[in-house]
Amino acid sequence: MMDRIKTLFALHDEACAASGNSARSRFGSLWRPGDGIILYPPRDGAADYITLLKATVPDIPLLVCDDTGSAARSVSGLRVHGLDEAVARLPRALWVLFASGDKASALFARIAPRLSAAHLNNMITFRQLGEFLPVGDKKSRYFDGYRKTFLAAAPRTRAKVENAFELFRDPLSQAVFCAVLKRYLLCSDTLIPVSSSPEYFEDVYTRLPDEVFVDCGAYTGDTLHDFLRLGGSLKEYHGFEPDPGNFAELSAHAAKLPAQLQARIHLYRNAVGHERATVFFDAAGTMGSAVNPDGTSAVESVALDETLNGVSPTLIKLDIEGYEAFALQGARGLIRGARPVLALCVYHHPFDLWELPLLVTNMVDGYRFFLRAYQEQFSYICYCVPSERLGPACAG
């Protein structure tokens, strides 16, 4: 199976040799930021992208185009232009299709006869957009999941990628790993197998009658809700959520639960990291709220080993917007002592795909690793399961 990884690296090397290291030249595009961006058509999350683009690259001309007869005349404050008008206003723009796979092909076929050679040469899908944007500021991180990265192909990194891939033994995990890596290396629009199971609660591990569930990135209580809806039994629940707005909703959700269940729930308005410290935070009141050195709010970050001293977790979920590696370091003692199941988000940084499972395997022995995707663009979860907690279908 390692041949699949080596083939992806070979394709990456071939692409670099053919067209240099520029993302734009690799796509065969001569686009420059001043040429602008045309988003087409305004559907399925386009409004979120427009908001992020306006905040991240406010100096790049930006148009929304639609020829589908939509009644919408503006999206996120931008007027919707007809196709001919958009072409005339930005004749060399980067043309971004809000579709993928067969839908993207159908859109391309429909508008291609009306576009110039420059536009056809600059045609990409929304998943490739991050490759064309500037890096290094706190806002551009929202596009990092779609950005092709040379990090995975760096000589010192390739061995790590290969070692991490070998941790995943089941065919589905291997397929997801290769698809995500292909997207990172080649900015491919390849399809990623998506699980229909509830996120964080895949059947790769057994449920315990009295789970001690540590929920880092508890948000507004959505994961707690899913756990209980699926029939989960709680001995204790420890939920960590630093965003004040999200924490208020989390507390309100917990207050509506039966009294005997409320007594088992412990909530902390803290970030989770490797030590107790004051950190800056983007308190956006969304799932994207995250620790950020340029954030406008200060919160206390805690280490699980210290805060949960005396607790024996059976399940730890980490969905903390790129801070997962720090939280793992701060939970080293709990992981070694209690051997909980770990559900780790591995999509906030491209390198999380290989670094986080390797970090866990360096901490503790006797774990099996599974990778599942819940959306094609993101929500990739690595399950680290001690051998004694393997689900029946995975025990072999």
Side-chain angles (χ1 to χ4, degrees), residues 16-242:
C16 289
S19 54
N21 290 333
S22 164
R24 290 187 289 274
S25 67
R26 263 216 260 170
F27 280 111
S29 169
L30 299 178
W31 179 81
R32 297 293 183 268
D35 297 333
I37 295 173
I38 296 174
L39 303 175
Y40 167 85
R43 62 162 72 150
D44 298 337
D48 293 336
Y49 271 76
I50 292 167
T51 300
L52 289 173
L53 283 168
K54 289 166 68 174
T56 305
V57 286
D59 296 329
I60 294 181
L62 184 64
L63 291 182
V64 182
C65 172
D66 188 20
D67 69 338
T68 63
S70 170
R73 300 316 306 155
S74 67
V75 180
S76 294
L78 291 180
R79 182 168 70 88
V80 176
H81 295 72
L83 189 143
D84 293 334
E85 183 182 8
V87 166
R89 288 175 65 89
L90 295 177
R92 299 186 62 83
L94 189 68
W95 198 285
V96 181
L97 296 176
F98 268 95
S100 58
D102 291 342
K103 290 182 180 180
S105 298
L107 286 174
F108 178 80
R110 186 170 76 199
I111 63 175
R114 300 169 63 183
L115 297 182
S116 68
H119 279 139
L120 292 174
N121 196 42
N122 290 348
M123 184 78 68
I124 63 172
T125 71
F126 67 99
R127 291 179 185 152
Q128 298 166 312
L129 180 56
E131 191 63 32
F132 290 80
L133 300 179
V135 298
D137 61 75
K138 68 177 181 178
K139 293 171 182 171
S140 68
R141 66 185 174 83
Y142 290 104
F143 294 98
D144 285 346
Y146 312 99
R147 196 187 306 278
K148 180 168 65 258
T149 173
F150 290 96
L151 183 60
R156 290 185 295 179
T157 304
R158 292 190 186 202
K160 285 186 174 183
V161 174
E162 293 174 355
N163 290 340
F165 177 71
E166 289 186 323
L167 294 174
F168 299 101
R169 302 180 191 174
D170 64 298
L172 180 54
S173 293
Q174 293 172 349
V176 173
F177 191 101
C178 288
V180 174
L181 183 63
K182 183 178 181 182
R183 179 162 291 164
Y184 289 162
L185 287 173
L186 303 174
C187 212
S188 166
D189 216 21
T190 185
L191 293 177
I192 293 178
V194 174
S195 174
S196 59
S197 298
E199 193 170 1
Y200 313 116
F201 304 114
E202 198 76 31
D203 61 3
V204 295
Y205 65 92
T206 58
R207 309 298 191 271
L208 297 181
D210 291 301
E211 262 336 330
V212 179
F213 181 17
V214 178
D215 186 2
C216 301
Y219 190 41
T220 60
D222 56 337
T223 310
L224 173 60
H225 172 80
D226 287 345
F227 178 88
L228 297 173
R229 177 179 59 83
L230 294 168
S233 175
L234 281 176
K235 179 180 180 182
E236 298 175 36
Y237 172 86
H238 298 267
F240 293 80
E241 175 54 51

Side-chain angles (χ1 to χ4, degrees), residues 160-168 177 324-325 328 335 342 344-347 349-365 367-371 380-385:
K160 285 186 174 183
V161 174
E162 293 174 355
N163 290 340
F165 177 71
E166 289 186 323
L167 294 174
F168 299 101
F177 191 101
E324 286 81 5
L328 283 173
I335 293 170
L342 305 174
L344 312 176
C345 286
V346 292
Y347 63 91
H349 303 298
F351 50 81
D352 286 342
L353 178 68
W354 57 90
E355 293 288 358
L356 295 188
L358 289 175
L359 180 57
V360 173
T361 200
N362 287 330
M363 284 184 182
V364 64
D365 296 326
Y367 269 60
R368 286 272 298 276
F369 296 81
F370 302 87
L371 187 63
Y380 314 140
I381 308 299
C382 175
Y383 294 93
C384 313
V385 184

